[in-house]
Amino acid sequence: EYYHQLVERIDQDLNNFGPAKVLASKVGVRPGELAVGLMGILAALAMLNIFAFVLVTVFSMLYPAYMTYKSIEYNQDQKRWLTFWIVMSFVTIFNSLLEWLLSFLPFYHLLKLALFTWMYYPTLNGSQVLYDHAVKPIFSQVKAKLE
């Protein structure tokens, strides 16, 4: 039952994402089923550490880059995607400083994959949460020193 609810919700979210609809129709499944299947494959590869760094990097950048392009071209959701990239820069800095330690965590790449998905998934919009609770307070404290 949960699987069907998940697929239905993802179908609704992907309704306006043309590439997902085209690819799903070519494969002969619903966009939500395609997304769940791809996430399962990515999760398995990340858990097994097979091309995990490359997969996580591509998965975390490609969709947001495309959506940012669309937001610029069609003047939609620009604040949302600017927020994503600001948060992504903080996550990248944090990760590069502590990756030597974090990489010892079990399923490290899977956790990163989950984080990035949470950050940009339309109905979750985790980047806004991180911005409001972490990035904005930091910038508010140092704003006077930066200007």
Side-chain angles (χ1 to χ4, degrees), residues 1 15 21 27 32 39-40 42 56 62 64 70 80 93 101 103 105-106 111 118 120 122 134-135 141:
E1 180 64 30
N15 191 35
K21 291 190 324 188
V27 175
M39 285 299 293
L42 285 173
V56 171
L62 195 57
K70 278 183 59 174
R80 177 173 185 255
I93 291 167
L101 178 64
S103 62
L105 289 173
L111 293 171
W118 175 70
Y120 69 66
V135 175
Q141 289 178 355

Side-chain angles (χ1 to χ4, degrees), residues 13-146:
D13 292 336
L14 292 177
N15 191 35
N16 294 325
F17 187 58
K21 291 190 324 188
V22 170
L23 185 57
S25 68
K26 287 184 179 186
V27 175
V29 296
R30 294 170 39 195
E33 293 170 327
L34 178 67
V36 168
L38 288 175
M39 285 299 293
I41 292 168
L42 285 173
L45 292 172
M47 284 190 306
L48 296 171
N49 209 18
I50 300 171
F51 302 114
F53 175 77
V54 173
L55 288 171
V56 171
T57 302
V58 169
F59 187 76
S60 65
M61 299 286 180
L62 195 57
Y63 177 76
Y66 176 71
M67 294 308 290
T68 303
Y69 161 78
K70 278 183 59 174
S71 76
I72 292 168
E73 291 300 312
Y74 302 111
N75 203 22
Q76 303 169 346
D77 290 335
Q78 289 180 346
K79 183 178 183 245
R80 177 173 185 255
W81 290 107
L82 282 172
T83 302
F84 171 84
W85 289 112
I86 291 169
V87 172
M88 183 62 140
S89 68
F90 270 76
V91 169
T92 303
I93 291 167
F94 177 79
N95 185 57
S96 61
L97 292 173
L98 295 177
E99 186 166 26
W100 61 273
L101 178 64
L102 296 173
S103 62
F104 289 108
L105 289 173
F107 307 120
Y108 168 66
H109 293 291
L110 183 61
L111 293 171
K112 280 177 59 174
L113 190 63
L115 171 68
F116 294 138
T117 302
W118 175 70
M119 282 174 53
Y120 69 66
Y121 194 75
T123 54
L124 301 175
N125 202 10
S127 58
Q128 187 65 51
V129 174
L130 290 176
Y131 179 82
D132 290 339
H133 292 90
V135 175
K136 187 175 180 181
I138 291 169
F139 274 140
S140 295
Q141 289 178 355
V142 297
K143 180 180 177 185
K145 295 174 187 171
L146 295 174

